[in-house]
């Protein structure tokens, strides 16, 4: 039975019975059956045999054959070894140099989020359990996670989803609505088989309600069972429910089909509006005209970020007092210990980001696009990074007056940065915030494009002691620190981290034929010898396809 078939739909009448397609059923009994079906559906999923088990059987068979024949054993052993080598690629050894621009195994994997054959189509609006209203929370990428999870929750509840409301009251004070940032018609149509989505609750239906929509906030990381136990009964009784502060309100570990739905929402349905896409791709093309490849750095070093993390960067009493005043905005933050940097809880400074990149092997003529807000300390803080990478660009420098219509809207500006960062050859972040996680996951889904996130705990102590060692020693230590933090396919393991950062259920491996170690070519690091870049194909392919 598919996931969609395990969740009931209907309305509860006054005596507690559910009317489904004209038939009356006891609501509590249905809910109990519903939960049992979900458990049963999950338990019936058979796990495939591991390749180690298969290869073990092959070797056992090889031994038996060798015992009786002898002369065919060498041939079977050769085929067995070929199979093992094709399936299990030997990843980079600690002594093997890292290709800083691209993983040589990136083409082995691809994004796969197609719905399974047993994933039932969405129920029509008139047969759904009611309307689900969502009030997202936070900045652009925090709200993006909320929107993604809202679609999955609507599917779990067999509800009709109303296009989510964006947060207008957070720190950024952005008045943009959903339709101002995302292509709402594309969002609705691309998910039509998964969830019924409408722009608003029909007026006729709202007028017929005896009470206003029920408003509630679910705990963070709630499971599907939590929604069935706590939200579904209210939805069936009141017909319209609004979930507020909806960010990270759904569990990380879900059924595979629901994880794939998450990917379809995040990587396909949430497309930016045409003006945002056009300016974003224009900036990418301008970067490409200056160099065949470039790095994009998401630099979170704004005052609110530093105040929230509680980090101290040596600015004396002035820094402490300024950040402490901003920190008062959050009443529930823990007390500071003074050890935040050593514990890896602090973003790297712009200077430290530059040192990390140079130590990894990027030359000072590398083109750098920096996505950031107001940097704490201004030009004085940025100058060391600019000295290390003089080819330094921002959206303000590249766009000029074209950026004017977006300047009053932080989320739209963030969306432009998102596009450029996504299309970069290498994406680097100095933090592990929402945009860093969302983009890291998307870049994995799009072919494991090189994504460097700092191993903050080890790098912070190394940065503070860098004056005590030679540059070559420092560079070797940085490379050692960053192994496992550069976006290689083997970094992603099922269950690791947040799903939006590690979407393992949505990444598949291509057939092993043609991907033997000896057949995998190193990427040429000389940009002059690379295949000419196609702007139309590589830039506009994901952001301008399927337009009007």
């Amino acid at each position: 039975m598919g996931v969609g078939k395990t969740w009931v739909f209907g309305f509860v009448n006054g005596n507690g019975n559910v009317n489904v397609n004209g038939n009356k059923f006891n609501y509590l009994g249905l809910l109990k059956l519903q939960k049992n079906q979900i458990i049963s559906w999950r338990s019936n999923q058979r796990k495939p045999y591991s390749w180690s088990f298969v290869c073990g059987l092959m070797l056992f068979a090889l031994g038996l054959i060798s015992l009786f024949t002898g002369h065919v054993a060498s041939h079977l052993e050769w085929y067995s070894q070929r199979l093992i080598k094709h399936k299990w690629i030997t990843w980079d050894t600690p002594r093997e140099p890292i290709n800083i621009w691209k993983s040589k195994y990136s083409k082995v994997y691809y994004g796969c989020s197609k719905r399974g054959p047993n994933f039932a189509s969405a129920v029509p609006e008139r047969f759904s359990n009611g309307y689900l209203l969502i009030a997202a929370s936070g900045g652009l990428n925090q709200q993006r996670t909320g929107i993604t999870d809202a679609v999955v929750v609507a599917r779990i509840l067999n509800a009709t989803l109303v296009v989510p409301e964006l947060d207008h009251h957070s720190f950024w004070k952005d008045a943009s609505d959903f339709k101002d940032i995302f292509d709402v018609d594309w969002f609705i149509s691309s998910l039509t088989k998964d969830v019924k989505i409408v722009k608003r609750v029909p007026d006729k239906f709202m007028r017929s309600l005896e009470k206003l929509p029920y408003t509630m906030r679910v705990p963070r990381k709630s499971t599907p069972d939590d929604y069935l136990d706590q939200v579904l009964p209210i939805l069936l009784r009141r017909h319209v429910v609004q979930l507020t502060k909806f960010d990270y309100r759904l569990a990380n570990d879900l059924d595979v089909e629901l994880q794939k739905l998450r990917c379809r929402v995040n990587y396909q349905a949430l497309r930016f509006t045409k003006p945002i896409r056009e300016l974003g791709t224009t900036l990418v093309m301008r970067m490409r005209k200056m160099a065949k490849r470039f790095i994009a750095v998401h630099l979170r070093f704004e005052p609110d970020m530093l105040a929230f993390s509680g980090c101290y960067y040596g600015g004396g009493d002035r820094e402490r007092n300024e950040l402490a005043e901003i920190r008062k905005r959050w009443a529930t933050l823990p007390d500071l210990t003074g050890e935040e940097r050593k514990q890896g809880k602090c973003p790297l400074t712009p200077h430290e980001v530059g040192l990390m990149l140079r130590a990894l092997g990027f030359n000072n003529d590398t083109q750098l696009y920096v996505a950031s807000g107001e940097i704490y300390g201004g030009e004085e803080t940025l100058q060391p990074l600019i000295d290390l990478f003089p080819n330094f660009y921002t959206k303000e420098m590249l766009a000029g007056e074209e950026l004017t219509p977006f300047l009053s809207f932080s989320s739209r500006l963030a969306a432009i940065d998102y596009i450029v960062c996504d299309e970069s050859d290498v994406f680097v972040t100095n933090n592990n915030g929402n945009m860093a996680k969302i983009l890291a996951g998307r870049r994995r889904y799009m072919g494991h494009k090189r994504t460097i996130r700092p191993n903050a705990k080890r790098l912070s102590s190394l940065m503070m002691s860098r004056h005590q060692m030679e540059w070559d020693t420092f560079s070797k230590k940085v490379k050692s620190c960053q192994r496992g933090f550069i976006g290689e396919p083997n970094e992603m393991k099922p269950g690791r981290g947040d799903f939006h950062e590690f979407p393992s259920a949505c990444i598949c491996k291509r057939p092993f034929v043609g991907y033997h170690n000896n057949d995998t070519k190193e990427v040429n690091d000389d940009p002059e010898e690379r295949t000419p870049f196609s702007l139309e194909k590589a830039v506009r392919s994901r952001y301008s396809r399927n337009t009007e």
Side-chain angles (χ1 to χ4, degrees):
M1 178 178 289
V3 175
K5 295 181 181 178
T6 64
W7 294 304
V8 300
F9 53 91
F11 293 99
V12 176
N13 56 27
N15 57 14
N17 292 327
V18 182
N19 190 315
V20 183
N21 295 343
N23 299 314
K24 294 184 178 180
F25 299 93
N26 180 266
Y27 162 68
L28 294 177
L30 267 177
L31 191 57
K32 183 177 181 181
L33 174 62
Q34 182 182 61
K35 293 178 66 175
N36 290 337
Q37 287 175 317
I38 295 171
I39 296 171
S40 174
W41 190 90
R42 290 180 176 174
S43 64
N44 287 335
Q45 299 304 298
R46 296 182 60 188
K47 296 183 179 179
Y49 293 113
S50 67
W51 273 94
S52 60
F53 176 74
V54 173
C55 291
L57 286 178
M58 292 179 63
L59 292 175
F60 178 72
L62 177 66
L64 291 177
I65 295 172
S66 299
L67 180 64
F68 295 105
T69 63
H71 63 280
V72 298
S74 60
H75 299 289
L76 289 174
E77 183 178 12
W78 184 84
Y79 284 116
S80 177
Q81 290 301 315
R82 290 284 293 177
L83 178 60
I84 295 171
K85 288 179 180 179
H86 277 311
K87 178 61 184 178
W88 298 108
I89 292 176
T90 303
W91 300 105
D92 293 349
T93 63
R95 295 183 179 179
E96 185 178 354
I98 298 173
N99 185 324
I100 55 178
W101 284 100
K102 185 178 182 180
S103 169
K104 65 181 181 181
Y105 302 114
S106 61
K107 292 184 179 180
V108 180
Y109 296 89
Y110 65 98
C112 53
S113 59
K114 185 177 179 180
R115 64 183 59 82
N118 295 324
F119 198 66
S121 297
V123 297
E125 181 179 353
R126 68 181 183 278
F127 294 131
S128 74
N129 286 335
Y131 293 92
L132 183 65
L133 306 176
I134 295 292
S137 176
L140 174 66
N141 293 286
Q142 186 174 340
Q143 292 183 103
R144 190 183 186 103
T145 63
I147 295 167
T148 299
D149 288 347
V151 174
V152 179
V153 169
R155 172 77 189 198
I156 291 171
L157 298 173
N158 262 343
T160 296
L161 178 67
V162 180
V163 171
E165 295 179 5
L166 300 189
D167 188 351
H168 298 160
H169 306 290
S170 64
F171 175 83
W172 293 271
K173 299 292 189 296
D174 191 323
S176 299
D177 291 323
F178 189 100
K179 62 181 178 59
D180 299 318
I181 300 175
F182 301 107
D183 186 335
V184 65
D185 293 326
W186 172 265
F187 177 71
I188 293 172
S189 62
S190 63
L191 294 170
T192 186
K193 292 183 179 180
D194 297 308
V195 173
K196 178 63 179 178
I197 305 175
V198 296
K199 294 182 180 180
R200 56 181 297 178
V201 180
D203 291 337
K204 182 179 180 181
F205 185 86
M206 287 295 292
R207 288 195 297 268
S208 68
L209 296 178
E210 297 179 0
K211 298 180 181 180
L212 292 175
Y214 187 88
T215 300
M216 61 185 298
R217 185 186 304 179
V218 296
R220 289 201 167 196
K221 304 296 183 181
S222 293
T223 66
D225 281 350
D226 293 332
Y227 281 96
L228 293 171
D229 290 338
Q230 300 172 21
V231 181
L232 181 60
I234 300 173
L235 180 65
L236 291 171
R237 186 171 65 250
R238 299 287 291 270
H239 309 312
V240 182
V241 170
Q242 181 181 43
L243 303 182
T244 62
K245 289 285 184 180
F246 200 82
D247 58 335
Y248 296 100
R249 304 288 168 176
L250 184 60
N252 193 52
D253 186 18
L254 300 176
D255 170 81
V256 171
E257 286 294 341
L258 294 181
Q259 299 287 48
K260 288 181 179 291
L261 176 55
R262 264 177 165 164
C263 295
R264 290 197 293 275
V265 179
N266 200 357
Y267 306 137
Q268 299 172 20
L270 282 176
R271 186 174 73 173
F272 293 121
T273 59
K274 189 174 181 180
I276 292 175
R277 296 200 312 271
E278 287 182 342
L279 183 54
T281 53
T282 296
L283 300 191
V284 173
M285 287 189 286
R286 288 173 184 170
M287 290 295 297
R288 295 289 185 199
K289 287 179 180 178
M290 292 183 286
K292 291 184 180 295
R293 56 190 181 184
F294 69 95
I295 300 174
V297 179
H298 180 227
L299 201 58
R300 283 303 310 272
F301 209 72
E302 299 92 339
D304 68 294
M305 177 67 174
L306 304 187
F308 185 86
S309 60
C311 301
Y312 174 67
Y313 292 91
D317 291 339
R318 178 181 177 182
E319 177 186 324
R320 287 192 177 95
N321 294 335
E322 288 176 347
L323 297 183
E325 189 63 28
I326 299 174
R327 190 174 171 83
K328 292 178 181 178
R329 298 172 182 171
W330 298 281
T332 59
L333 294 180
D335 295 333
L336 301 179
T337 64
E339 301 293 320
E340 283 74 21
R341 292 208 74 192
K342 292 181 180 179
Q343 294 170 355
K345 297 180 179 179
C346 300
L348 299 184
T349 68
H351 187 200
E352 291 169 345
V353 171
L355 290 173
M356 176 185 72
L357 293 177
R358 292 296 300 274
L360 287 174
F362 293 101
N363 297 324
N364 69 340
D365 61 350
T366 302
Q367 305 289 320
L368 208 68
Y369 177 89
V370 175
S372 70
E374 174 194 358
I375 298 296
Y376 182 71
E379 293 184 7
E380 183 180 350
T381 302
L382 275 177
Q383 193 58 49
L385 175 60
I386 297 174
D387 292 340
L388 290 169
F389 292 94
N391 297 319
F392 177 101
Y393 301 94
T394 64
K395 57 183 174 295
E396 290 81 8
M397 297 167 64
L398 293 171
E401 293 183 358
E402 295 167 287
L403 204 61
T404 302
F406 304 94
L407 290 178
S408 300
F409 307 98
S410 61
S411 290
R412 301 182 209 183
L413 293 173
I416 294 169
D417 278 336
Y418 181 102
I419 292 174
V420 182
C421 290
D422 182 37
E423 289 294 336
S424 65
D425 297 274
V426 177
F427 173 61
V428 182
T429 176
N430 72 328
N431 67 95
N432 201 30
N434 292 304
M435 181 169 173
K437 290 180 180 179
I438 288 286
L439 269 172
R442 178 180 172 86
R443 290 172 68 87
R444 292 182 191 279
Y445 182 85
M446 295 297 177
H448 285 281
K449 296 161 69 175
R450 180 66 79 211
T451 302
I452 300 174
R453 57 190 180 92
N455 183 351
K457 189 171 183 178
R458 292 185 61 189
L459 277 182
S460 294
S461 58
L462 181 59
M463 290 293 177
M464 289 187 281
S465 61
R466 67 181 183 272
H467 300 295
Q468 303 171 12
M469 63 189 79
E470 298 292 331
W471 173 257
D472 288 344
T473 302
F474 174 75
S475 178
K476 290 179 181 178
K477 288 182 177 292
V478 169
K479 290 174 181 176
S480 176
C481 286
Q482 284 303 115
R483 286 191 178 275
F485 293 82
I486 58 173
E488 285 288 343
N490 65 331
E491 294 175 17
M492 189 169 62
K493 300 174 178 61
R496 177 184 178 182
D498 188 273
F499 181 79
H500 296 291
E501 183 178 5
F502 297 98
S504 56
C506 302
I507 296 179
C508 298
K509 190 173 183 179
R510 298 184 189 281
F512 59 78
V513 177
Y515 288 101
H516 186 271
N517 277 0
N518 297 334
D519 300 328
T520 306
K521 298 181 180 180
E522 290 279 359
V523 176
N524 190 344
D525 280 342
D526 184 359
E528 298 302 322
E529 297 182 15
R530 297 175 72 206
T531 303
F533 181 80
S534 172
L535 293 177
E536 187 66 27
K537 180 179 179 181
V539 180
R540 296 195 181 278
S541 60
R542 286 196 288 277
Y543 292 100
S544 298
R545 69 160 65 101
N546 297 319
T547 51
E548 294 74 24

